[in-house]
Amino acid sequence: MSSMAMHSGPPSYQARTGRSVEERTRAMIVAAAEQVMLARIAAPVSGVSIERLSTADVCAEARGYLRRDGSEGPIPKATMWKHFKTVEALAAAVVENITAENRPVPEPIAELAARGGRSEDTARGSVDAERLEARFSARHFDIGGLREQFAEAAAREDRPDMVFWSAELAERYLQRHRRGDRHPATTASEWARRGMSLVDPRSRLDCMMGIRCTRAAAEAEAVLSRSAEYEHTGLSRVRSIKETEAEFADALGWVLHRELARFHADHARALCEEDAEREMRSLRAIADALGELCAADAEVSREPGDTLRAGELAYVIAGLCRVETAYATHPTHRGTYAAIFADRMAETRTELLACFAVTARERHRHEDNIRALLRMDAFARRLDRIGPAAEPGEIATAVEDYEHASIDLLRTTEYGTIRDILVARYLIAKARSLTHRDAESRRSPDHTPDRPAGSLVHPQPAVLIQGAIQFYDHAATAGSSRGSTGVLRALAAAGSAELRRANPVRRKVDGDCAPADSEIDTIAQTINDLVLITVSRRNRFTDNEIEHLLAMVDPMYYYITSGRN
């Protein structure tokens, strides 16, 4: 047998293990170098600016580098030399790492990387200045420019660049999605799956960019799955995509990301197979995993890139809220729910809220939004405890105690069917509260309310009831018919029917119903009047008043501009 035949075939276990160790060492060096570079940019000191940075400086200043004995300390110079012989090559790797994670590249780091040019002395995996410039300028390209970059990468058979531009194109097409137009989502899915097919699972950067592709592909399939005819196919594809994402995360050593990908795959399978128990168990498993990996006292160390996104954490908490409302009292599923969650649901959600402390971008918006949803849920459970036979004054007291109601209604637009049901329940309670207070006022004209002066605007109970019916109707027709959302749809349909029976709509004669344009004109005029009253105040706003008003205006702006109202 020839020596060629003896050495052909797949690499040995030792070779694969050695490569994995080297890849992770290199990743730790790059992550540590990024922190050193960002620190120098943020607080430049004479003589130690990023322009004067050397590999020796990075070795000495690095934090978070784990040595072989498990201790955290400076990077050995021999290890640095093995992977990066120049600081320019190291900066190039940092740039490639940042762009792979779809983060903006600081200009000083890009300039440092560009100094290396096309030198043959740079370490393996470094990127030349032209490709670097194209990558960190990607957000400025239009669709045509992104396609040209992909075509150029394909022409030179640059597979990593093809993966990168596939991810960029998929994300850009997703941004173009508008309700009723399936083409952007379909095209995004095609580009994302093309990028996934090009990933080399042995390359860390490929796996990082591959995760961008899987996220975009899953999001596109979720958009397309809003069509009932496509939903089964879309869920099957999401499951397959997320299983691939879990493999990429496993190759990177990203334990948290792997668990999240497995959750999404299992959750999609549960919906596809309409398996309520699997749906609940998938949420229970990811809640336990997040509590273990992201708690303040977590003992599990994570790779630098293995971060938790605030939106994904909010999605899990909203899912727990959804399954509790759907299954906790359901005659078929309540036994399974009790076996899986017992009485720990409130404790579990509290533990997950604490995990927002370790999330990355957009933490405050998602945390505020999910806390708003939980307050609405707590209000609905208070109504359940009051019961239908209670005194009307108890409902009025509950409504008055709910001080954040108007803000919470605006903050929760992204939570779908569960939010629609909770909004409907609040509107019903508010209508009954107003009816009770009006009756109290008629019986006792001199009656002084327990609370401070009321609103300048007085909603009509009948209008609020009609609004509740509309929210129930939307919840009963929008969203998936599978899983907990399907159960909530049935609850919403029953709630709407009950309200219609109890509150028959008065038939309006011709001209008695104001057109939609007239309604919005009335709302706009009311806002204008409130602005005039506000600016006519004798005193300037205090800091507390400013903070209070901003807390109301910010969710109102998001509600109007998000397109989810």
Side-chain angles (χ1 to χ4, degrees):
M1 181 182 293
S2 68
S3 60
M4 179 74 72
M6 289 176 62
H7 293 288
S8 62
S12 65
Y13 170 79
Q14 289 82 359
R16 293 196 307 273
T17 303
R19 174 165 181 167
S20 176
V21 170
E22 293 300 324
E23 287 277 7
R24 293 194 178 187
T25 300
R26 187 174 188 274
M28 283 194 293
I29 293 173
V30 172
E34 181 183 343
Q35 296 306 312
V36 171
M37 293 176 186
L38 291 175
R40 291 210 171 191
I41 294 170
V45 180
S46 177
V48 291
S49 64
I50 191 172
E51 290 82 3
R52 296 176 177 272
L53 186 68
S54 66
T55 54
D57 294 331
V58 175
C59 288
E61 299 174 26
R63 298 292 182 269
Y65 179 82
L66 296 178
R67 302 166 71 91
R68 288 188 178 182
D69 60 1
S71 63
E72 185 176 310
I75 302 171
K77 291 183 179 179
T79 303
M80 173 67 80
W81 178 259
K82 181 177 181 180
H83 292 276
F84 301 102
K85 293 181 173 57
T86 66
V87 72
E88 291 81 8
L90 180 56
V94 170
V95 169
E96 193 162 19
N97 206 58
I98 292 174
T99 56
E101 294 181 355
N102 196 27
R103 292 184 285 128
V105 180
E107 189 68 27
I109 299 179
E111 291 175 356
L112 180 60
R115 277 187 354 206
R118 301 174 183 271
S119 171
E120 294 296 328
D121 296 330
T122 54
R124 68 174 178 83
S126 63
V127 190
D128 60 60
E130 184 178 342
R131 290 176 62 215
L132 281 174
E133 183 177 357
R135 284 198 180 190
F136 67 70
S137 300
R139 65 187 65 237
H140 303 300
F141 289 134
D142 58 13
I143 290 286
L146 295 177
R147 284 179 172 272
E148 289 176 7
Q149 291 294 330
F150 179 87
E152 291 175 9
R156 61 177 182 267
E157 298 182 352
D158 188 338
R159 182 189 45 73
D161 248 20
M162 292 169 69
V163 178
F164 176 85
W165 295 112
S166 294
E168 287 287 335
L169 279 159
E171 291 164 355
R172 189 67 60 83
Y173 272 108
L174 275 175
Q175 293 172 9
R176 286 188 163 192
H177 169 68
R178 296 294 180 270
R179 187 180 303 173
D181 185 4
R182 294 172 61 86
H183 178 262
T186 301
T187 308
S189 179
E190 291 170 354
W191 276 109
R193 285 186 282 120
R194 180 180 299 184
M196 289 166 56
S197 68
L198 293 166
V199 170
D200 179 359
R202 298 170 300 176
S203 165
R204 289 187 64 85
L205 284 173
D206 270 24
C207 288
M208 290 163 65
M209 292 185 290
I211 285 175
R212 285 181 61 189
C213 291
T214 56
R215 282 174 168 170
E219 186 176 344
E221 293 298 331
V223 169
L224 296 171
S225 295
R226 293 172 188 168
S227 168
E229 296 79 10
Y230 186 82
E231 186 175 19
H232 187 276
T233 299
L235 288 170
S236 296
R237 286 187 172 181
V238 168
R239 175 187 174 185
S240 176
I241 289 165
K242 286 297 179 179
E243 287 172 347
T244 301
E245 184 174 328
E247 293 173 3
F248 292 158
D250 204 29
L252 290 166
W254 289 5
V255 180
L256 172 60
H257 201 105
R258 181 192 66 201
E259 294 305 313
L260 284 165
R262 287 177 176 174
F263 155 67
H264 287 296
D266 206 28
H267 190 255
R269 178 182 176 184
L271 297 181
C272 193
E273 298 176 357
E274 301 192 61
D275 185 339
E277 180 175 352
R278 182 179 290 275
E279 180 186 7
M280 286 185 270
R281 290 196 182 280
S282 68
L283 281 161
R284 171 81 268 176
I286 191 58
D288 290 343
L290 291 177
E292 178 183 351
L293 294 169
C294 301
D297 57 349
E299 298 179 357
V300 182
S301 61
R302 300 200 310 273
E303 292 269 334
D306 193 16
T307 56
L308 175 63
R309 295 188 298 172
E312 203 153 27
L313 176 57
Y315 177 88
V316 172
I317 299 174
L320 290 171
C321 185
R322 188 175 59 246
V323 298
E324 182 179 21
T325 303
Y327 296 138
T329 59
H330 192 280
T332 303
H333 303 299
R334 61 188 176 193
T336 304
Y337 174 88
I340 294 172
F341 293 103
D343 58 352
R344 290 194 66 249
M345 178 61 85
E347 180 184 346
T348 298
R349 294 196 300 211
T350 301
E351 291 173 356
L352 290 179
L353 286 172
C355 294
F356 275 107
V358 303
T359 56
R361 291 171 289 180
E362 295 193 319
R363 168 193 169 179
H364 294 295
R365 181 173 73 83
H366 287 293
E367 183 176 4
D368 290 345
N369 291 354
I370 201 65
R371 287 185 183 276
L373 182 73
L374 294 181
R375 284 193 295 268
M376 292 175 66
D377 182 63
F379 175 77
R381 299 195 185 285
R382 180 175 178 179
L383 295 179
D384 291 338
R385 291 192 298 272
I386 291 174
E391 291 292 328
E394 290 190 49
I395 293 178
T397 301
V399 170
E400 290 172 351
D401 288 342
Y402 189 5
E403 298 178 353
H404 297 89
S406 59
I407 295 175
D408 292 351
L409 299 183
L410 298 174
R411 281 200 176 278
T412 51
T413 55
E414 61 190 291
Y415 297 123
T417 305
I418 181 64
R419 180 258 184 177
D420 287 345
I421 290 176
L422 294 176
V423 170
R425 295 201 62 185
Y426 174 78
L427 293 177
I428 295 167
K430 181 68 173 179
R432 291 175 178 170
S433 171
L434 291 173
T435 301
H436 170 71
R437 293 303 184 200
D438 290 345
E440 288 284 307
S441 298
R442 285 193 296 271
R443 282 197 297 268
S444 305
D446 298 330
H447 172 72
T448 302
D450 298 332
R451 303 288 169 136
S455 170
L456 297 171
V457 180
H458 301 283
Q460 298 299 313
V463 174
L464 297 181
I465 291 294
Q466 288 306 309
I469 291 173
Q470 291 172 8
F471 274 100
Y472 270 144
D473 287 346
H474 186 263
T477 55
S480 172
S481 60
R482 299 169 182 267
S484 55
T485 303
V487 174
L488 294 179
R489 284 181 57 164
L491 291 175
S496 175
E498 182 180 348
L499 270 186
R500 290 179 191 278
R501 284 193 300 270
N503 302 273
V505 178
R506 178 174 64 87
R507 296 291 180 183
K508 298 184 178 182
V509 298
D510 292 342
D512 194 19
C513 181
D517 289 346
S518 175
E519 289 182 1
I520 195 64
D521 288 344
T522 302
I523 292 172
Q525 184 59 52
T526 302
I527 293 174
N528 286 335
D529 292 342
L530 292 175
V531 169
L532 290 175
I533 293 170
T534 301
V535 300
S536 300
R537 281 167 40 103
R538 184 172 183 175
N539 300 321
R540 291 179 177 273
F541 292 123
T542 66
D543 290 345
N544 288 338
E545 289 172 339
I546 292 172
E547 185 177 350
H548 184 66
L549 288 173
L550 287 176
M552 298 178 65
V553 171
D554 179 59
M556 186 178 296
Y557 176 81
Y558 177 74
Y559 177 80
I560 294 170
T561 59
S562 67
R564 293 177 177 147
N565 50 34

